[in-house]
Amino acid sequence: MRKWLFILCIISCTLCYADKVEHENVLRVAFGGEWMQDQYLSPLLYKGYRVGIGNEWWQPFRRTDTISGSRWEHVGQLDLQGMWAYNPVKTNAVYAIGARGGWGAYYVWKLKKQGLSIFVGPYLEADYVAKWHVVSVNKPYSMDIAIDLMAMASISYAFKAKRTSYRLQYSVRANVIGVDYLPDYWQSYYEMTEGVLGIVRCSGMWNHRTLRHGLTFDMQLPHSTWRLGIEHEYLEYGIKDMMFSREQVSVVVGTVFRYKIRPNRSLVEF
């Protein structure tokens, strides 16, 4: 019992301190082009479209009142997406759904006079995409699964105008080392439950390359803040005789809002 009371006390103290930390949250939707190659499903390059919805949040670990404003902060992200692509003669299609989530810590240097901020740090990401081959009977299903420790960096430039402010930011993430799942795709789908499903292997730039980067422009208007941007993603992995790749270019539209948690409010307050 005392153990749970101690845990609740820690959570309460954390919430009481949370009103000193400002959170930045970004809700966004994306639409763009998709280029997909899965040599288990087909040797052909499939082209199509993707739609996505996502949320990301930024906040410092603790309040910092240094003159420079440099400090450690962290970021989290969750994305859901749907994709559909066709072969060159449009006789077959691949439908896919995916989920991606991650969390990272970064150190930020702020050059207030120049309006510049530079972010550098590690980022841990899990990525999953399930694919369905529409026409094929023997090879109807495939998937991408990976957990990567990535290096991330970002640079932003912010400036003010009359009653408004703006921020231009470029961000990039690339995998360093992690694990991925390489199924034994030499079997038919109905044989996969009878033998070894596949292997989990150590992955990195030598056998699993992931690059995500984007350019965004945030516009803080008198009553709301909006984001416009473009994102590019490239993934390539596999073995000598079986390669997989996925490339996406998307336009992003989102809204940005900031908030502080105010705990211990009265339940009868109106």
Side-chain angles (χ1 to χ4, degrees):
M1 183 65 180
R2 284 182 295 180
K3 176 183 177 181
W4 290 109
L5 289 176
F6 176 76
I7 294 174
L8 290 175
C9 180
I10 294 296
I11 294 174
S12 177
C13 292
T14 302
L15 290 175
C16 289
Y17 184 72
D19 63 331
K20 296 183 180 181
V21 176
E22 185 176 60
H23 307 254
E24 179 176 305
N25 200 84
V26 184
L27 295 173
R28 64 187 188 277
V29 294
F31 178 79
E34 175 82 19
W35 295 264
M36 185 187 308
Q37 186 168 34
D38 187 316
Q39 291 187 352
Y40 166 68
L41 296 178
S42 171
L44 301 176
L45 178 66
Y46 279 61
K47 301 179 182 180
Y49 304 94
R50 58 95 57 169
V51 294
I53 182 171
N55 182 45
E56 64 183 65
W57 53 96
W58 303 70
Q59 67 184 76
F61 281 106
R62 62 173 64 90
R63 189 168 184 172
T64 305
D65 295 321
T66 60
I67 297 176
S68 65
S70 301
R71 59 190 179 186
W72 278 98
E73 300 185 358
H74 60 102
V75 57
Q77 184 173 333
L78 178 63
D79 290 292
L80 302 174
Q81 60 178 332
M83 297 159 277
W84 61 100
Y86 303 91
N87 61 11
V89 293
K90 295 188 176 181
T91 57
N92 207 343
V94 172
Y95 297 151
I97 58 173
R100 180 170 62 238
W103 179 87
Y106 59 90
Y107 192 78
V108 54
W109 291 269
K110 294 183 180 291
L111 307 176
K112 294 184 177 180
K113 292 184 179 180
Q114 293 80 12
L116 292 175
S117 297
I118 301 173
F119 311 82
V120 177
Y123 187 88
L124 183 64
E125 180 182 271
D127 182 41
Y128 173 78
V129 171
K131 310 170 189 176
W132 290 269
H133 211 202
V134 176
V135 175
S136 177
V137 175
N138 292 326
K139 299 178 179 181
Y141 175 75
S142 181
M143 57 187 172
D144 302 329
I145 304 178
I147 299 177
D148 291 312
L149 178 62
M150 312 182 83
M152 68 175 178
S154 179
I155 183 171
S156 70
Y157 171 65
F159 58 95
K160 292 183 178 180
K162 185 177 181 180
R163 299 184 61 195
T164 62
S165 62
Y166 304 90
R167 179 176 59 191
L168 184 66
Q169 183 168 337
Y170 173 76
S171 301
V172 59
R173 297 200 305 266
N175 70 311
V176 178
I177 193 169
V179 294
D180 66 359
Y181 174 69
L182 193 63
D184 188 0
Y185 282 149
W186 301 112
Q187 303 180 48
S188 299
Y189 75 97
Y190 54 81
E191 296 176 317
M192 293 183 69
T193 57
E194 300 176 4
V196 179
L197 293 179
I199 59 172
V200 176
R201 63 176 187 175
C202 179
S203 62
M205 294 298 293
W206 61 91
N207 61 3
H208 187 120
R209 289 166 288 277
T210 303
L211 174 67
R212 311 189 203 284
H213 60 131
L215 182 67
T216 59
F217 184 59
D218 298 333
M219 300 168 286
Q220 183 264 314
L221 305 177
H223 301 290
S224 61
T225 303
W226 295 94
R227 168 170 292 186
L228 296 176
I230 184 168
E231 295 181 346
H232 174 245
E233 171 187 331
Y234 181 75
L235 166 68
E236 182 184 52
Y237 73 99
I239 56 178
K240 182 178 180 181
D241 298 322
M242 188 70 68
M243 295 299 298
F244 307 84
S245 65
R246 188 174 76 237
E247 186 171 11
Q248 301 170 345
V249 179
S250 303
V251 175
V252 177
V253 179
T255 180
V256 182
F257 57 92
R258 294 181 175 180
Y259 62 93
K260 291 184 178 181
I261 298 175
R262 297 179 60 188
N264 300 329
R265 297 286 297 273
S266 171
L267 296 176
V268 296
E269 185 176 340
F270 296 97

